[in-house]
Amino acid sequence: PLVDRSDLTQQMSSFVLDKFGGNCRLKYGEECVSVDFEGKRIITSSGRTIKYDLLLGADGVNSQIRQQLVQKEPESFQEQHYLEDIQWKALQLPKQPDIEAGSFKPLQHPSFSRGRVLPRAPEGHILLLFWKEEHGTDNPRGVETIEDLKQMITEAMQDKN
């Protein structure tokens, strides 16, 4: 896989706990089997009832939460998909010694709109770059050669994020 699910879960967990601390509890190893939207509670696969203030459905492409929303109010629930004319590259990098193990590093550079270095199991990193297509090119702005690409990545990696 491009990003190992356990790495992604760890990063998302760290972000939520760092950001919200004691106001948030994470539960692992249980699936949401039903949602009571009016009562603001879910029932898990173990039969537990959990009350919530805010429910985030990050349960993947076959989302139980989304399916229940569609079943509950099919006429008022409408999925929205956003498409952008975006190009992207995913490059495998060796382990980056300046990036803490398992962490994500956002990248910024004038040549692309978004970028991130992601951990890749069992080691190493993946570099993801996104940019708006300009003039029919398959590369970020100003990148014509492999040397240009290396220079752009080097500059973006040195940016203090």
Side-chain angles (χ1 to χ4, degrees), residues 30-34 42-50:
E30 292 186 77
E31 292 181 29
C32 171
V33 294
S34 69
I42 65 167
I43 308 296
T44 70
S45 55
S46 70
R48 285 194 324 135
T49 299
I50 302 173

Side-chain angles (χ1 to χ4, degrees), residues 41-138:
R41 59 183 170 253
I42 65 167
I43 308 296
T44 70
S45 55
S46 70
R48 285 194 324 135
T49 299
I50 302 173
K51 294 188 120 220
Y52 67 85
D53 292 321
L54 174 65
L55 178 62
L56 300 176
D59 51 341
V61 70
N62 297 311
S63 170
Q64 289 291 318
I65 294 169
R66 182 180 63 245
Q67 288 174 13
Q68 289 182 44
L69 276 170
V70 171
Q71 290 170 0
K72 178 181 177 278
E73 298 181 41
E75 66 285 344
S76 64
F77 182 74
Q78 181 179 4
E79 288 190 68
Q80 296 182 7
H81 301 269
Y82 299 95
L83 299 176
E84 288 187 51
D85 197 11
I86 283 279
Q87 299 277 54
W88 64 278
K89 283 189 187 296
L91 305 170
Q92 186 173 340
L93 300 177
K95 184 175 181 186
Q96 300 297 301
D98 296 336
I99 300 176
E100 184 178 325
S103 69
F104 290 58
K105 177 182 175 53
L107 299 176
Q108 295 177 337
H109 192 274
S111 295
F112 55 85
S113 55
R114 292 181 291 271
R116 189 159 309 267
V117 177
L118 310 169
R120 182 173 188 275
E123 68 174 52
H125 289 86
I126 296 289
L127 172 72
L128 289 177
L129 300 175
F130 300 90
W131 67 94
K132 293 212 181 268
E133 184 177 3
E134 295 178 5
H135 315 297
T137 180
D138 288 335

Side-chain angles (χ1 to χ4, degrees), residues 141-153:
R141 185 177 343 118
V143 175
E144 302 295 328
T145 67
I146 191 71
E147 292 306 315
D148 293 340
L149 182 61
K150 287 179 185 177
Q151 180 65 33
M152 181 198 64
I153 291 170

Side-chain angles (χ1 to χ4, degrees), residues 11-31:
Q11 288 301 313
M12 290 171 61
S13 301
S14 295
F15 172 79
V16 168
L17 293 174
D18 289 347
K19 185 99 171 144
F20 302 106
N23 295 326
C24 184
R25 288 182 299 172
L26 303 176
K27 302 290 183 188
Y28 297 97
E30 292 186 77
E31 292 181 29

